[in-house]
Amino acid sequence: DAGVIQSPRHEVTEMGQEVTLRCKPISGHDYLFWYRQTMMRGLELLIYFNNNVPIDDSGMPEDRFSAKMPNASFSTLKIQPSEPRDSAVYFCASSQWRDYNEQFFGPGTRLTVL
Amino acid sequence: SQELEQSPQSLIVQEGKNLTINCTSSKTLYGLYWYKQKYGEGLIFLMMLQKGGEEKSHEKITAKLDEKKQQSSLHITASQPSHAGIYLCGAANAGGTSYGKLTFGQGTILTVHP
């Protein structure tokens, strides 16, 4: 298996623009997670899905952020409009439904908002 | 919410030296995960501990969970430059609506000088 795939790997955009990050989880995994990593706040969970249904979005910073999972093999995280404070590395991870199973992380998308 | 504190925040050692990284939780740990991250890459799963007193080893890395399940340590024996990176501990919630959710510590940056 290719592992979790994220695109793009790097994104540079200007403040106010819409940004869409994409993730393809490992085939057969029931859970999908979106994280954000910054120097100041570390690794934070934004939202996660189980069987394509959002379970917990309490980590989504504000209404500018939205996430969807239209099917088992694809998810998007959208920021609209983007702000400089959104600059971070965004990770997608997936796992199988099993008690306390490990999460497999993608390589991340480094977002820079100017 | 569960909070994890890692110590030290950073560590510089000479190749061949042993080292220990600690992870302390404000609540009982139901599952404790150790991940390693190299700069610009995603997180790689190392080990997961669940039972009080449990100890696991992989190559030169050993992780332990104390009997009270509120503290874990990661020990590296005879460190090598390949061990360099950021080590993060992550805690699983007990279940309910937050099943599968992980909360991470701030990470420990390890540098190994040859």
Side-chain angles (χ1 to χ4, degrees):
Chain A
D1 200 314
V4 177
I5 299 172
Q6 290 187 246
S7 65
R9 291 294 310 276
H10 302 274
E11 177 81 33
V12 180
T13 190
E14 292 187 347
M15 182 173 64
Q17 296 298 307
E18 176 181 301
V19 175
T20 300
L21 311 181
R22 297 173 177 79
C23 175
K24 176 178 168 55
I26 294 173
S27 177
H29 281 192
D30 305 280
Y31 284 86
L32 184 138
F33 306 82
W34 281 102
Y35 291 90
R36 177 173 68 176
Q37 187 177 40
T38 62
M39 288 294 293
M40 290 297 293
R41 300 175 67 88
L43 190 63
E44 304 173 281
L45 177 67
L46 300 177
I47 184 172
Y48 77 98
F49 296 82
N50 176 218
N51 290 325
N52 312 337
V53 176
I55 302 300
D56 185 344
D57 65 353
S58 58
M60 297 285 263
E62 47 198 274
D63 292 345
R64 297 185 297 106
F65 286 70
S66 62
K68 294 182 180 179
M69 192 165 185
N71 56 62
S73 59
F74 183 67
S75 177
T76 59
L77 178 68
K78 185 179 290 186
I79 308 172
Q80 179 185 21
S82 58
E83 296 182 4
R85 58 186 168 137
D86 301 330
S87 298
V89 180
Y90 292 80
F91 289 103
C92 176
S94 69
S95 69
Q96 286 181 301
W97 184 89
R98 202 167 66 195
D99 284 348
Y100 305 113
N101 203 13
E102 67 265 27
Q103 296 179 18
F104 293 81
F105 281 74
T109 295
R110 182 173 295 275
L111 173 65
T112 302
V113 183
L114 303 174
Chain B
S1 62
Q2 187 155 35
E3 292 187 0
L4 295 178
E5 185 173 333
Q6 286 187 236
S7 62
Q9 290 187 351
S10 63
L11 193 54
I12 302 173
V13 299
Q14 201 69 32
E15 182 177 1
K17 295 295 185 184
N18 302 336
L19 63 105
T20 299
I21 299 169
N22 294 303
C23 176
T24 302
S25 172
S26 59
K27 298 182 180 180
T28 300
L29 294 162
Y30 290 92
L32 190 285
Y33 298 73
W34 283 101
Y35 283 84
K36 178 186 175 184
Q37 182 182 24
K38 291 200 168 184
Y39 180 76
E41 300 179 13
L43 280 67
I44 303 298
F45 172 77
L46 295 176
M47 280 171 275
M48 191 273 276
L49 305 167
Q50 196 171 354
K51 300 176 183 177
E54 187 175 8
E55 179 176 321
K56 289 186 178 178
S57 294
H58 176 68
E59 298 180 342
K60 295 184 178 180
I61 301 176
T62 300
K64 300 177 185 180
L65 182 62
D66 74 342
E67 290 289 345
K68 293 183 179 179
K69 295 175 63 175
Q70 284 194 277
Q71 186 169 14
S72 177
S73 61
L74 185 83
H75 184 78
I76 299 177
T77 303
S79 58
Q80 300 170 352
S82 61
H83 288 128
I86 303 171
Y87 290 82
L88 295 102
C89 61
N93 288 323
T97 58
S98 296
Y99 178 84
K101 180 176 178 176
L102 290 183
T103 302
F104 284 89
Q106 286 289 93
T108 295
I109 302 171
L110 173 63
T111 304
V112 181
H113 286 310

